Amino acid sequence: MSETTDDATISDESSQPTVMLLGSGELSRELTLAFQRLGAVVIAVDRYADAPAQGVADRTAVVKMNDADAVTALIEKERPRYVVSEANVIAADALIAVAERGDIEVFPTPRSTRLSLDREGLRRLAADELGLPTAPFWFASSVDELTAVANHAGFPLVVKPIAAAPGEGESVLVRSEDVEPAWHRAIAAGRIPHNRVMAETVVEVDFEVTLLTIRTVGPTGPVVHFCEPIGHRQLGGDSLESWQPQQLTPAALDAAKSIGARIVNSLGGRGVFGVEVLVRGDEVYFDNVRPRPYDSGLVTLRSQRLSQFELHARAILGLAVDTIMISPGAAEVSYAGADATDSRGADVRAVVAEALAVAESDVRLFGRPDETEARRRLGVALATAPDPIIARDRARRVSAALRKLW
C-alpha cells in the first residue's frame, strides 16, 4: 500500500467533511469535483496509481481494494467521515465492519455493495422478498444445469454472469448448440471468479429505462426523489446511447417509481441509485439496480440542473437535492478495450472544434488510463434540444466527429 498524505493537512481540514472514494475511475473524477464544490475533502483510492480521480483529489492512496486488511488499515489511518464505494470489486467485509461501528458512514450500504456483485442475491431480493415483477429467471452451476434450464424455458434465452459489469459476458441463446459457449463466456467474465450463471427469458419490450432514484433523509425519515426517465440502448459493444426524457404512459411511470422506491428503500443508505427497468406498454419489469452514478446517467451532465454526480454528493452529505430537468438531452458514450490508444494521431483541437460545431453540444474526453472497468471509456458526446429526438441526432453527430480520435 502506498499513499500520499500529510498530517498537517489532515488537521487543517478537520472542520471539513472528509470523503474517501474507493474507486478512482472517470466517473469518480466527476464525483470528486462534485464533493469538492460542496466543501468536502476527497481522498481518492484505487488499486493502481494515477487513476483519473486521483488527478483532482485532495489526497490519494493505492491499495488492493479486495484486501480487507489493507482497506481497513487505510480507513483507520485517514478516519474519513464518509466512505463511498465507486468500484465493482471491494472488500465488502471491511466495509461491513466499519459501518457496524457507527462512527463512519459507508455508502452504498455494504449490503448494496455485496448485492451489486451478486445477480442471484439481487434478483431473489427483488422477486422473492419484495415481489417486484421480473422476467422469468433461473440459475445454473454447470453446463448440464444450463442445458436443463434451456430445455425447460425454451429459446430465446439470455445468459448472464452472476458478477460482472452490465453486458459483459452475456449471450442470447437461440438453439441448443449455444448453451456450452454461453456458459464458458459467462463464467470467464468479470474480475471475481464464479461458476454460476443466470438465465432469463427474453421479454419483448418497447425500451429499457434507467430511473435515477435518489434516497435522502428528511426531518421525518427517508425520502425518495426521481429524475425524469432515461432511455438507453447499447450500440454494439463500443458505445451506449442514452436520452432524457423517455416518455412512459402514466401507469408505467407510476409502476417504475413504485419499483424504484421499494428496491432502494430495501437497500437503504443515501445517494443515487440507477434502477434499470424494462417497459412494454403499461407493464414494467425490474431488471437491475446500480447503487451509484453510472454511464446511462451521464446525459444529466447537460439535461438537469444537478447532474447525477451532484445529486449523489448532496444526498450523501445530507444536503438538499432537486431533480429539475432543464432541457431534453442525449449522450453517447464511446468505449474501447483497456489497451486502446487515446488517438490515432488526429488533431484533437480540430476534432473537438468539429464536434462542438453541432448546436447545443458538449464533450468529455477521457484521456487518462482507467482500469476501473474492463471496457475503457474514451469519451462522451452530449447535446440538448427542444425534444429528445433532435437531441439524440445531435449527440450522434458529435460522437461521429469524436470517432476520428479513436
Side-chain angles (χ1 to χ4, degrees):
M1 179 180 71
S2 66
E3 61 262 14
T4 59
T5 58
D6 185 289
D7 292 338
T9 302
I10 294 172
S11 61
D12 290 343
E13 295 169 346
S14 60
S15 62
Q16 298 176 269
T18 301
V19 179
M20 178 178 287
L21 288 185
L22 298 178
S24 299
E26 291 290 357
L27 301 193
S28 293
R29 185 179 188 279
E30 296 288 340
L31 186 58
T32 296
L33 295 171
F35 274 118
Q36 289 173 328
R37 289 172 184 137
L38 296 171
V41 174
V42 178
I43 307 167
V45 183
D46 216 310
R47 61 189 177 87
Y48 66 104
D50 298 320
Q54 293 177 339
V56 296
D58 298 281
R59 300 198 294 278
T60 68
V62 176
V63 301
K64 293 181 179 179
M65 290 194 297
N66 60 351
D67 184 331
D69 292 337
V71 171
T72 300
L74 181 61
I75 293 173
E76 290 297 329
K77 177 179 180 180
E78 294 286 358
R79 302 295 299 168
R81 186 179 302 180
Y82 308 102
V83 173
V84 180
S85 173
E86 289 296 307
N88 288 326
V89 181
I90 299 287
D93 292 343
L95 300 185
I96 291 171
V98 170
E100 287 178 345
R101 288 194 331 224
D103 57 335
I104 297 174
E105 293 192 83
V106 177
F107 301 105
T109 62
R111 180 168 180 249
S112 296
T113 299
R114 193 184 293 279
L115 287 175
S116 68
L117 297 172
D118 178 10
R119 273 198 174 97
E120 182 169 1
L122 180 61
R123 185 56 64 92
R124 294 199 185 283
L125 166 66
D128 300 341
E129 295 183 34
L130 300 179
L132 302 182
T134 69
F137 62 92
W138 300 264
F139 296 95
S141 298
S142 67
V143 173
D144 290 342
E145 287 186 14
L146 185 58
T147 300
V149 167
N151 291 336
H152 167 76
F155 300 100
L157 197 66
V158 179
V159 173
K160 305 177 180 180
I162 290 294
E168 186 180 2
E170 294 185 10
S171 302
V172 178
L173 281 60
V174 296
R175 56 187 184 277
S176 299
E177 291 78 7
D178 297 335
V179 171
E180 186 167 355
W183 164 266
H184 289 296
R185 183 181 182 194
I187 63 170
R191 291 177 174 169
I192 300 176
H194 55 277
N195 61 350
R196 194 161 169 81
V197 303
M198 183 174 81
E200 188 176 56
T201 296
V202 174
V203 177
E204 293 295 330
V205 298
D206 299 326
F207 33 76
E208 301 178 17
V209 168
T210 298
L211 186 65
L212 290 183
T213 305
I214 302 91
R215 191 174 192 268
T216 62
V217 176
T220 60
V223 180
V224 176
H225 309 262
F226 302 98
C227 297
E228 291 293 323
I230 298 171
H232 60 83
R233 67 189 184 110
Q234 195 76 41
L235 304 174
D238 59 356
S239 60
L240 172 72
E241 181 191 22
S242 61
W243 58 92
Q244 186 188 36
Q246 169 60 61
Q247 295 298 323
L248 276 64
T249 67
L253 182 58
D254 287 345
K257 288 182 176 180
S258 174
I259 289 171
R262 290 160 69 187
I263 193 71
V264 304
N265 281 330
S266 176
L267 295 175
R270 301 193 300 274
V272 166
F273 297 78
V275 180
E276 303 290 341
V277 296
L278 308 175
V279 180
R280 181 176 62 187
D282 292 341
E283 298 177 359
V284 181
Y285 303 91
F286 171 79
D287 184 52
N288 199 1
V289 60
R290 302 186 183 99
R292 58 180 61 89
Y294 197 69
D295 292 27
S296 55
L298 285 168
V299 63
T300 62
L301 288 167
R302 280 294 170 265
S303 61
Q304 296 190 170
R305 193 184 80 82
L306 299 175
S307 73
Q308 63 174 347
F309 305 103
E310 294 166 311
L311 290 170
H312 199 49
R314 285 191 178 209
I316 288 172
L317 295 175
L319 304 175
V321 304
D322 73 59
T323 57
I324 297 171
M325 190 187 75
I326 57 176
S327 173
E332 190 168 312
V333 187
S334 297
Y335 304 97
D339 58 348
T341 57
D342 295 326
S343 68
R344 294 181 294 209
D347 183 335
V348 175
R349 183 186 177 282
V351 170
V352 171
E354 180 183 349
L356 295 182
V358 177
E360 297 185 39
S361 64
D362 198 3
V363 301
R364 295 286 192 280
L365 299 182
F366 300 151
R368 306 189 66 190
D370 184 351
E371 300 179 18
T372 303
E373 303 286 350
R375 291 188 309 172
R376 178 180 162 195
R377 298 178 186 90
L378 298 175
V380 182
L382 297 156
T384 55
D387 67 67
I389 295 175
I390 297 174
R392 290 173 69 183
D393 177 68
R394 288 174 175 175
R396 290 177 190 137
R397 288 157 55 197
V398 175
S399 184
L402 294 181
R403 287 193 192 100
K404 295 176 182 177
L405 295 175
W406 307 311

